[in-house]
Amino acid sequence: MSAPPSAKLPTYFVSHGGGPWPYMKEQYGHTYDKLEASLVDIPRQIGGKPKAVLVVSGHWEEQEFTVSSGAAPVMIYDYGGFPAHTYQVKYPAPGDPELAARVAELLAAAGHTAELDPHRGFDHGTFSMLAPVFPDADVPVVQLSMKHGFNAMTHIEAGRALAPLRDEGVLILGSGLSYHNLRMFGAVGRTPSHEFDAWLNHTLRELPPDERLEALLHWGDAPSARMAHPREDHLVPLFVVLGAAEQEAAACVYHEDEFFGNLAVSSFRFGAPAVADAAPAPQLTAEPEPSAK
């Protein structure tokens, strides 16, 4: 195991794909190749394996911020209709009760109620996303829930409170999707996904920090926002990781214009990578493509 990176770690918002895709290579073929390559590249970008990972999962919502605090998290197969073997997969990364207590402490010091849950396991927004990043499952993992109501400023403030973890060897990953509307997951989703993705890339990568924050607080006014996110659970993790790196530049570390044939999806890094040759931002289409009929 490599030594933990010594510099301040960047944060990431990851479009985590659908269901248990890393365990379905035969079924999906090359569908997830680009996403997988971007995830595999994260350890190189940060200069090695971190001390631990804190995942803000788009699949966990509680009345108050809640932190998984068990030493040996179980698996949560929170999906349906997949092959039988995907309900037997294991991602045996250890938990980190000490880190969980630190997360709760930081949140409480910033005025946020934070609870510990020793029974919470890894949902698929965590284990499917981490399987390509740390395939040996040898990095401790703690999950942080979203807070009910999905208030953008509340989650940005939570990220601000958690920023010190970046200097403590903890990698903060927001796991969601830049486009998440399963009822518009095909040709009908082409235009809304491209419109919202173009806005998101412009907002995160090109606006100065104060303007970026203001735009994200009013994300619902973005083009096709509520078609891209009829319920914003898969967008909210972005607010936390942005808050933890609020003044730092964003880079698009994964982008596809034709995910599942039609959709535009992206992942982002906030803060500088540890290596100068980290993957450059992909070229994006200048304008959304017309809707397929």
Side-chain angles (χ1 to χ4, degrees):
M1 184 174 186
S2 58
S6 58
K8 179 191 293 285
L9 291 173
T11 68
Y12 289 81
F13 172 71
V14 172
S15 287
H16 62 218
W21 64 267
Y23 306 94
M24 297 177 60
K25 296 292 183 68
E26 291 185 5
Q27 290 85 354
Y28 282 127
H30 297 291
T31 300
Y32 283 99
D33 283 1
K34 291 182 180 179
L35 175 58
E36 183 173 24
S38 73
L39 295 171
V40 168
D41 197 50
I42 287 177
R44 185 185 67 85
Q45 291 182 31
I46 66 174
K49 292 179 181 177
K51 178 181 177 182
V53 180
L54 175 64
V55 178
V56 185
S57 173
H59 289 271
W60 189 19
E61 174 191 356
E62 297 286 357
Q63 287 296 321
E64 303 291 347
F65 287 117
T66 305
V67 191
S68 65
S69 59
V74 298
M75 302 291 287
I76 300 176
Y77 304 113
D78 53 340
Y79 41 74
F82 288 92
H85 77 270
T86 65
Y87 300 88
Q88 303 295 324
V89 299
K90 303 295 182 185
Y91 187 75
D96 190 333
E98 184 177 343
L99 172 59
R102 173 73 169 141
V103 170
E105 172 190 320
L106 289 169
L107 290 171
H112 301 283
T113 299
E115 301 177 355
L116 298 175
D117 183 348
H119 305 295
R120 176 71 187 189
F122 295 148
D123 60 58
H124 83 267
T126 293
F127 71 79
S128 288
M129 177 268 297
L130 286 178
V133 185
F134 304 115
D136 295 331
D138 56 354
V139 177
V141 178
V142 168
Q143 286 189 156
L144 172 66
S145 79
M146 301 172 292
K147 183 175 179 178
H148 179 71
F150 297 144
N151 181 273
M153 193 68 219
T154 297
H155 288 82
I156 289 168
E157 290 174 348
R160 290 171 178 169
L162 298 172
L165 296 175
R166 298 175 58 204
D167 292 305
E168 300 171 14
V170 178
L171 178 63
I172 304 175
L173 295 176
S175 179
L177 279 168
S178 61
Y179 175 85
H180 191 249
N181 185 341
L182 299 183
R183 294 185 177 182
M184 298 181 70
F185 201 83
V188 68
R190 178 180 293 274
T191 292
S193 71
H194 280 75
E195 288 183 345
F196 186 75
D197 191 85
W199 175 86
L200 191 62
N201 268 278
H202 169 73
T203 297
L204 296 181
R205 297 169 58 197
E206 299 181 26
L207 295 185
D210 290 348
E211 293 180 27
R212 180 171 68 180
L213 173 62
E214 188 66 18
L216 286 176
L217 290 176
H218 298 91
W219 72 270
D221 297 331
S224 296
R226 280 299 178 183
M227 284 188 283
H229 292 280
R231 190 173 190 268
E232 59 266 43
D233 50 341
H234 277 59
L235 184 66
V236 169
L238 167 64
F239 303 144
V240 180
V241 300
L242 173 81
E246 191 171 356
Q247 300 300 314
E248 297 177 56
C252 182
V253 293
Y254 160 70
H255 176 79
E256 291 193 58
D257 278 322
E258 297 183 347
F259 183 62
F260 274 90
N262 297 279
L263 306 177
V265 290
S266 296
S267 298
F268 301 91
R269 183 188 66 234
F270 299 90
V275 290
D277 65 338
Q283 293 296 312
L284 307 178
T285 52
E287 299 292 339
E289 298 181 22
S291 178
K293 300 297 184 184

